[in-house]
Amino acid sequence: MYLNKYEELILNGEYGYIKAKALKALVKMGEALGANKLIRISHAHISGISYTTIGEVGLELLRELALEKVCVNTTCNPAGFDLTHWRRLGVPEEYYKKQIEIINLLRKMGVKTTLSCTPYLTENISKGDHISWAESNAVLYANSITGAMTNREGGLSALLAALVGRTPNYGLHLQENRKPTVIVSIEINNIEVDEPSILSAIGYSLGLKVGYGIPYIVNSKILTNLELIKYFMAGIGTTSALGMIIISHISPDERNIKQSDLKGLDRISLGMDDIIEVYECFNEVSIDKCDVIYLGCPHLSLDELLYILKFISSVKIPNNIKVWLTTSRNVVNKIVKLGYNVIELWRKGILILCDMCPIVAPLEKLKVKNIITDSAKAAYYLRKMHKAKVTLMSRHNILKLLKNIC
Ligand code: F3S
């Protein structure tokens, strides 16, 4: 692989052995994947920062890497609990200490501990920017909606890239690889286009059908709300290795497609049956058996949270149920300024949670087993990682149900 003078110096240890190690690992990875050189990145987003997912081995590695600082703007995914309300949530002290150590190490490295999986809502990312992002929904959003360029990185490769400001030049960093490989039409009419669970179910189904490559969605009547399109991306990322899709009239990369690129491509369609199949796959919990109703995978935006609160903040949730709403700290600060009292809402059973993702939380220790959610991604991972019983339900029905049972 070609390295410029600066990169050679890093590799030779002029900037310390941690950076040398990071660059060496990226070069090895790049060579294995056919990269001819490294490219500069303007931003990194790291996943896998929860103690649940990285454990002692990951913590040990982080202690070593934290002797150095990142050299580009770097954000990170959610952790295992809300940093303010961890005790109220029931997180054990020993877990708390481990997770806080991880967060402090990241801070020491200069990582902005945003602890949110929607960096595209807060970070300044533009079309054509080379970035190194982990977290599948964010990668799909960045490539497909913003037109930034990133491969689907793992937490470690994104962190190594952040340390040296470089990533291997292959895959979705190359314009010629950002072309459609299959044409998709979504044949669904007369459904609510603003329903997260439907968007996530279609994405989930698309991921199952396509698996890899770049689907070109030519009929995108239901993909109009750029705020809620994240549920579609999260669904796709759950069931496939896809890092990018092209949506007609939305994706910046559409303008680079030539007619000849579409010649001979397979065509598939998704219909109502595919969505129903996903709902049927996650249908184990009724409202009377549920411990937690969970909304916010990916993290809720300010408008979504305000909409949900308008619906349920005056409702007294039954004692046996808690409503978990995950979002970023940035959004929580805004709703507090708007006059919402987070503690008061907690007392009512409405837990506004930032910094965290239930999937990487110590859920068993929090005694959460039966969950209703509007996200196919959450349903899939809650079952897979925590053996929880799950039901995928529309947000609309969840909110209606909450009003009616109270
Ligand atoms: Fe975010 Fe966790 Fe869902 S990281 S996308 S809330 S699985």
Side-chain angles (χ1 to χ4, degrees):
M1 179 187 292
Y2 166 79
L3 296 182
N4 66 23
K5 279 213 175 91
Y6 173 63
E7 291 156 0
E8 290 277 6
L9 287 175
I10 299 178
L11 196 66
N12 293 334
E14 295 290 321
Y15 293 88
Y17 83 97
I18 297 290
K19 290 200 188 251
K21 232 171 137 173
L23 198 103
K24 198 171 168 190
L26 290 169
V27 168
K28 280 227 149 97
M29 185 180 113
E31 282 175 345
L33 293 161
N36 58 348
K37 61 175 184 175
L38 298 173
I39 40 166
R40 288 175 79 140
I41 55 163
S42 57
H43 192 281
H45 181 78
I46 310 163
S47 67
I49 63 117
S50 147
Y51 184 65
T52 307
T53 48
I54 68 169
E56 276 308 306
V57 177
L59 183 52
E60 198 49 52
L61 176 64
L62 210 52
R63 283 185 192 124
E64 189 186 350
L65 295 177
L67 297 171
E68 270 300 344
K69 289 207 180 297
V70 296
C71 62
V72 292
N73 192 3
T74 305
T75 49
C76 66
N77 241 22
F81 51 75
D82 183 308
L83 300 194
T84 313
H85 300 291
W86 63 277
R87 216 185 270 281
R88 198 172 279 118
L89 202 56
V91 173
E93 187 104 25
E94 60 283 13
Y95 184 94
Y96 169 82
K97 283 186 187 150
K98 298 286 187 186
Q99 181 65 78
I100 285 297
E101 185 180 355
I102 294 171
I103 291 170
N104 286 338
L105 289 168
L106 291 170
R107 285 182 178 149
K108 192 174 158 217
M109 295 176 83
V111 174
K112 279 198 308 191
T113 46
T114 45
L115 303 171
S116 176
C117 50
T118 54
Y120 43 84
L121 296 182
T122 51
E123 301 305 303
N124 200 6
I125 304 299
S126 310
K127 177 175 164 5
D129 289 352
H130 289 280
I131 59 178
S132 178
W133 279 16
E135 173 49 48
S136 59
N137 99 83
V139 169
L140 278 148
Y141 195 102
N143 281 314
S144 317
I145 307 299
T146 315
M149 301 165 103
T150 176
N151 286 314
R152 201 163 145 174
E153 301 292 346
L156 183 58
S157 61
L159 182 56
L160 297 177
L163 279 165
V164 293
R166 301 286 192 277
T167 196
N169 188 35
Y170 75 101
L172 295 174
H173 290 288
L174 300 171
Q175 200 58 56
E176 66 265 29
N177 293 334
R178 299 170 67 91
K179 294 277 169 73
T181 57
V182 58
I183 298 173
V184 179
S185 92
I186 301 177
E187 306 293 346
I188 302 165
N189 296 314
N190 304 327
I191 59 164
E192 281 188 61
V193 292
D194 286 349
E195 174 48 57
S197 65
I198 291 179
L199 293 170
S200 77
I202 302 172
Y204 188 96
S205 185
L206 174 61
L208 282 175
K209 286 200 174 185
V210 176
Y212 59 89
I214 300 186
Y216 178 26
I217 302 175
V218 287
N219 163 353
S220 61
K221 265 190 226 140
I222 60 158
L223 300 174
T224 49
N225 185 330
L226 286 191
E227 199 165 3
L228 298 184
I229 230 165
K230 66 186 173 190
Y231 294 102
F232 181 60
M233 303 301 175
I236 295 172
T238 304
T239 47
S240 73
L242 298 176
M244 176 178 178
I245 58 171
I246 298 175
I247 306 174
S248 180
H249 302 302
I250 292 180
S251 300
D253 281 79
E254 188 185 26
R255 67 185 69 126
N256 300 326
I257 301 175
K258 297 188 205 86
Q259 267 313 312
S260 56
D261 295 328
L262 304 177
K263 255 196 184 157
L265 294 188
D266 284 343
R267 287 176 179 265
I268 63 160
S269 69
L270 289 162
M272 206 58 203
D273 287 353
D274 297 299
I275 297 184
I276 291 169
E277 218 171 278
V278 180
Y279 279 91
E280 282 175 354
C281 174
F282 303 112
N283 186 21
E284 301 166 304
V285 185
S286 55
I287 189 78
D288 53 315
K289 295 270 165 31
C290 135
D291 318 310
V292 162
I293 290 177
Y294 170 46
L295 309 178
C297 171
H299 278 179
L300 296 166
S301 66
L302 177 63
D303 285 349
E304 287 180 278
L305 185 57
L306 287 174
Y307 176 80
I308 294 165
L309 289 178
K310 205 168 109 197
F311 229 84
I312 61 167
S313 58
S314 55
V315 152
K316 168 85 182 78
I317 310 294
N319 286 339
N320 56 324
I321 300 177
K322 296 277 175 280
V323 178
W324 284 19
L325 304 172
T326 53
T327 187
S328 64
R329 186 159 287 277
N330 178 33
V331 166
V332 173
N333 290 341
K334 284 184 181 154
I335 65 155
V336 169
K337 274 197 189 132
L338 289 170
Y340 283 97
N341 184 331
V342 173
I343 299 294
E344 196 48 47
L345 288 166
W346 269 66
R347 285 201 192 103
K348 289 183 178 172
I350 302 167
L351 281 54
I352 296 180
L353 299 161
C354 54
D355 317 318
M356 72 173 275
C357 157
I359 284 83
V360 300
L363 220 55
E364 293 76 5
K365 298 205 166 84
L366 308 185
K367 302 195 175 51
V368 175
K369 292 195 188 93
N370 302 297
I371 303 161
I372 294 178
T373 179
D374 63 352
S375 162
K377 177 173 182 176
Y380 174 86
Y381 283 111
L382 287 166
R383 179 192 281 166
K384 185 172 177 207
M385 290 179 62
H386 299 283
K387 312 261 177 299
K389 293 218 176 324
V390 286
T391 285
L392 176 66
M393 193 184 280
S394 77
R395 182 174 294 177
H396 180 77
N397 282 345
I398 289 174
L399 296 179
K400 232 167 66 185
L401 212 66
L402 280 172
K403 274 224 145 178
N404 291 341
I405 55 168
C406 303

